Amino acid sequence: MEENSKGYAPEEFDEEEYGRRPDAEKALRGYRIVIIILSIILVALSALYYSIHRQQRLDNELLQADRDSIQSDLGRVMEEYDNLRVSNDSISANLHFERQRADSLMTRLKQERNWNLSKIREYQSQVKLLRSIAEGYVRQIDSLNTLNRKLITENITYRKEISSAQMRAEMAEEKAAELDNMVRAGSVIKARDIRLTPLNGRSKEVSRVKNAERLRTDFVLTANELSQPGSRTVYVRITSPDGYVLATSDQATFTFEGERLTYSASRDVDYQNQDLPVGIFYDNTGFTAGTYRVELYCDGFLIGSSEIVLR
């Protein structure tokens, strides 16, 4: 009775509910911790994604800059090849081959889509190799020009010795003849940019060769400081698609390597060791469409040839 007077009611105490409250609070705290951890992970993943995306964008920009740099370097190398001029047929052929390699590399560069660091290094290595080859040709050409000038000087010196020392004439003449041959080989005039154009009777260009009344052969005699300036006769020999040499007369022949060859037309020019554009006309009719071969001769040498398709 004393306990009831103090307001204590045993039947109001729920032991099961009292035992659950701490567990619920622990579970709630656990959920909160998990949510916080997941939030931290989400933030970290977002930062990582942004960093990776930013790095990829920077890498792409660097690859594009490297690609532009390689194309620029290759363009300069191609200009270096274009600026090289030499009368030596072997070196000229090698230069042409290397220039074609540069063209092929430029085409591959422009068509390349899968850029990566390995590709960049590969192209840089190839451009470096082409530049190194071009520099080697520059040194070789300079050396040849120096040698040719030296040979000309020696030739003059030996000729003077012939007149002043008769006893050494035979040896000096033999040496001079050797030098003459070397200088002659280096002084051959070459023809480039060979073109064949069909014209009507008023010398106007026509699109169909069957309508032509004359053919004009255009070309450029290249500059060569080793050649003797003065008058030259240039012979053009045009072979038709059916294999016959076009000629206006059976008597139109010249000597080449001990053989008489028929020529189509000729022209006398005044060569002064500089590039000289020349045009030679061949008048006739009855031309047929097909591939024509044009050969140019001067000073006893074949100075240029080309195959040209006329419609």
Side-chain angles (χ1 to χ4, degrees):
M1 293 296 292
E2 185 178 9
E3 290 180 356
N4 291 336
S5 65
K6 292 181 181 180
Y8 179 74
E11 65 276 7
E12 295 178 358
F13 177 75
D14 191 338
E15 184 176 354
E16 183 178 353
E17 181 180 355
Y18 181 81
R20 272 197 201 129
R21 287 177 182 172
D23 293 337
E25 290 178 358
K26 289 181 181 180
L28 182 60
R29 284 197 301 272
Y31 289 144
R32 288 175 180 172
I33 292 173
V34 170
I35 291 173
I36 292 172
I37 292 174
L38 290 177
S39 299
I40 293 173
I41 293 174
L42 180 60
V43 171
L45 289 175
S46 299
L48 179 60
Y49 172 79
Y50 173 77
S51 175
I52 293 174
H53 180 72
R54 181 172 178 271
Q55 185 62 43
Q56 287 178 343
R57 181 168 55 82
L58 292 175
D59 290 344
N60 289 336
E61 292 176 354
L62 290 174
L63 287 174
Q64 182 63 40
D66 288 337
R67 175 183 179 179
D68 294 341
S69 175
I70 292 173
Q71 287 187 353
S72 178
D73 290 344
L74 181 57
R76 286 191 290 270
V77 171
M78 294 169 71
E79 289 181 2
E80 291 177 11
Y81 277 108
D82 290 338
N83 292 332
L84 292 175
R85 294 290 184 271
V86 62
S87 60
N88 184 286
D89 290 341
S90 176
I91 296 179
S92 180
N94 290 336
L95 282 174
H96 180 68
F97 173 76
E98 297 299 338
R99 182 60 169 79
Q100 287 183 322
R101 284 182 59 190
D103 286 339
S104 177
L105 182 59
M106 180 62 80
T107 300
R108 288 170 52 198
L109 270 172
K110 292 180 178 179
Q111 295 177 349
E112 185 66 61
R113 293 294 179 268
N114 300 321
W115 284 96
N116 52 49
L117 184 58
S118 176
K119 289 284 187 181
I120 290 294
R121 289 176 176 172
E122 177 187 349
Y123 284 120
Q124 286 175 339
S125 175
Q126 293 186 46
V127 172
K128 182 178 180 181
L129 175 61
L130 286 171
R131 174 175 282 110
S132 175
I133 293 173
E135 291 172 352
Y137 279 121
V138 169
R139 291 190 294 269
Q140 189 174 358
I141 292 171
D142 288 341
S143 177
L144 284 174
N145 290 337
T146 301
L147 175 62
N148 282 330
R149 287 191 291 269
K150 180 181 178 181
L151 290 174
I152 292 174
T153 302
E154 290 180 0
N155 192 9
I156 296 173
T157 301
Y158 279 114
R159 288 187 178 279
K160 290 181 178 179
E161 290 180 356
I162 291 173
S163 60
S164 62
Q166 188 63 36
M167 292 182 61
R168 299 166 52 194
E170 185 173 348
M171 181 181 64
E173 286 178 1
E174 182 178 356
K175 182 66 175 180
E178 294 177 359
L179 293 173
D180 277 337
N181 290 334
M182 297 178 69
V183 172
R184 180 175 171 79
S187 64
V188 175
I189 304 171
K190 295 293 184 179
R192 59 178 170 81
D193 301 335
I194 301 173
R195 292 178 292 116
L196 187 63
T197 305
L199 306 172
N200 60 21
R202 297 187 301 277
S203 294
K204 299 295 184 181
E205 184 174 348
V206 294
S207 59
R208 300 291 180 180
V209 70
K210 69 179 181 178
N211 299 325
E213 296 182 23
R214 60 189 335 198
L215 298 177
R216 185 183 68 214
T217 303
D218 296 302
F219 56 93
V220 177
L221 293 178
T222 57
N224 188 343
E225 63 180 12
L226 300 179
S227 297
Q228 291 294 327
S231 178
R232 295 284 201 287
T233 299
V234 182
Y235 299 93
V236 59
R237 180 178 164 94
I238 304 173
T239 303
S240 65
D242 56 9
Y244 292 97
V245 177
L246 304 181
T248 56
S249 171
D250 294 337
Q251 304 300 320
T253 62
F254 67 99
T255 302
F256 174 68
E257 296 183 350
E259 183 181 355
R260 301 298 296 180
L261 296 182
T262 301
Y263 65 89
S264 305
S266 66
R267 179 177 173 181
D268 294 333
V269 297
D270 184 19
Y271 180 76
Q272 295 299 325
N273 305 100
Q274 297 179 349
D275 280 359
L276 179 64
V278 180
I280 301 179
F281 294 88
Y282 169 74
D283 296 327
N284 210 328
T285 57
F287 302 112
T288 59
T291 301
Y292 287 74
R293 178 170 178 80
V294 178
E295 297 174 343
L296 296 167
Y297 297 83
C298 182
D299 294 338
F301 293 95
L302 173 63
I303 63 173
S305 64
S306 180
E307 291 189 350
I308 302 166
V309 176
L310 297 181
R311 287 179 164 62

